[in-house]
Amino acid sequence: MRNACLIITDKSSFLDLSTFGAFCAFERSGYDFSEIRLLRFDADVIKTAIKDCKKHADTIVVLADGFVFDLVKTVEFAYGKTLLQNADSGAGVIDDGEKTLFLMPAQDENYVKDTCVPLLVHKIGYRIGSIVMRCVGADGAKMQDLLAKVENMGVGRVKVYNESKYGEDVVRIFYDENTPRMLTDDILRFLADALKDNVYALDDTPLEKQLVDLLRLRRKKIAVAESFTGGGLAKKIVSVSGASDVYYEGLNTYAEGAKMERLGVTEYTLRSQGAVSEQTAYEMAAGLLSQGHCDVAIATTGLSGPKGDSFGQPVGTCCIAVGVDQNVYVYRYLLQGDRKEISETAIRYALFLACKQLKNM
């Protein structure tokens, strides 16, 4: 089945396709696109693209990065049939028995899951299964090599996709329901053995939810102390429904004075080793634990740029401490990227390391 995706947008700058929820929802369900076009809000341009895609694509997905209702008449004219609108957003379907067109808001993941995928499953006559593996800190070259081997193992029966961002890889392997179970089990075992130190989930559970689930399972409370991640770690944790059961507090101790006053980091440590050091991260986490309000503590300190510190440490230096009960474990990394990339990567590493320690309890 050939699928084409038309994204209608008035943005002229480079677009990150991962920001369009509906697009990602199709790919997460195993429906990839052989053709992707970014089009401006111009009726003639849209009509021409739909007519062209109709010649060779079995399914056309039109994603509106804006108001869907404005596109209905244009889409109907180009396709030559009436759109069946079956959602309050204006999303709808044209299906003539052979070819299908979907029109929907670019962020409407639920419409993909509840309407588009079931219709496509009915149409092609079988359901697409998937394996999902999530990991953090895997070497990029190693990952590419492993996924190439998985493709060979699949002998044409599987499709492999990898979403790699901020130090985290989400590997999705799709197969049809006629694929032997032994083959998919072998693939999962192969990846799990090769990436065992980096794997945190063999399903589609994101890091922050896994951490909250583990804390609830272990009956632990968590607190975080952040410096260069600026509250991003806390935001991730509290985004999970039910986090209030396990989350005590988050401190954004950006200045050295805050680290000393709120967490008990010593002036000697800051003067002799610097705010970005293993010892400072250790004392930040230990300071949280010593206050008696939490069983698990995470501390982050680092340099996201634009320049290093007076101790000669380069941009990207990051120290993360994870305290569990009365034990504190400290990790040091040199991360790559701009300010946002470094900070976001550190957040993923911190969540991953906390999950790892909780699993080892």
Side-chain angles (χ1 to χ4, degrees), residues 105-223:
Q107 300 300 341
D108 199 345
E109 297 183 41
N110 289 332
Y111 190 75
V112 177
K113 179 181 66 174
D114 298 336
T115 300
C116 304
V117 170
L119 192 153
L120 290 173
V121 168
H122 176 75
K123 189 171 182 178
I124 64 179
Y126 61 84
R127 182 171 294 276
I128 296 176
S130 66
I131 297 170
V132 181
M133 176 177 288
R134 287 175 168 262
C135 57
V136 170
D139 177 76
K142 178 181 178 181
M143 179 64 76
Q144 289 182 358
D145 180 61
L146 290 173
L147 297 184
K149 290 179 179 177
V150 167
E151 290 274 13
N152 290 332
M153 290 174 65
V155 291
R157 288 181 169 271
V158 302
K159 293 181 180 179
V160 182
Y161 299 94
N162 182 32
E163 302 169 34
S164 184
K165 194 171 186 180
Y166 301 136
E168 180 178 12
D169 288 277
V170 182
V171 180
R172 302 181 190 278
I173 301 168
F174 298 100
Y175 55 91
D176 69 53
E177 61 185 8
N178 299 315
T179 303
R181 177 65 181 271
M182 183 178 296
L183 174 59
T184 59
D185 286 348
D186 286 346
I187 288 173
L188 184 60
R189 190 179 304 110
F190 168 74
L191 284 175
D193 288 344
L195 297 167
K196 56 186 175 183
D197 292 334
N198 304 101
V199 174
Y200 73 85
L202 297 178
D203 54 33
D204 210 9
T205 305
L207 271 166
E208 57 271 21
K209 186 177 188 308
Q210 180 159 126
L211 177 59
V212 169
D213 289 346
L214 283 167
L215 289 164
R216 189 179 289 116
L217 179 66
R218 300 284 193 264
R219 297 183 179 181
K220 303 292 185 183
K221 288 276 188 180
I222 191 170

Side-chain angles (χ1 to χ4, degrees), residues 8-10 39-43 45-46 64-67 70-71:
I8 317 300
T9 179
D10 57 3
L39 307 175
R40 64 181 184 273
F41 277 92
D42 181 293
V45 170
I46 296 169
D65 187 21
F67 202 51
D70 293 340
L71 292 172

Side-chain angles (χ1 to χ4, degrees), residues 31-101:
Y31 298 94
D32 60 330
F33 297 102
S34 56
E35 182 176 0
I36 303 167
R37 300 190 190 186
L38 303 180
L39 307 175
R40 64 181 184 273
F41 277 92
D42 181 293
D44 291 334
V45 170
I46 296 169
K47 289 175 186 176
T48 299
I50 291 175
K51 290 177 180 178
D52 186 35
C53 288
K54 190 179 178 183
K55 297 175 184 177
H56 56 266
D58 301 294
T59 304
I60 304 171
V61 176
V62 182
L63 302 181
D65 187 21
F67 202 51
V68 171
F69 292 98
D70 293 340
L71 292 172
V72 173
K73 293 300 182 184
T74 299
V75 168
E76 289 179 337
F77 181 87
Y79 203 89
K81 291 193 176 287
T82 301
L83 184 82
L84 173 61
Q85 290 177 273
N86 53 2
D88 293 339
S89 66
V93 182
I94 297 175
D95 188 84
D96 59 12
E98 294 184 4
K99 296 177 181 289
T100 306
L101 179 145

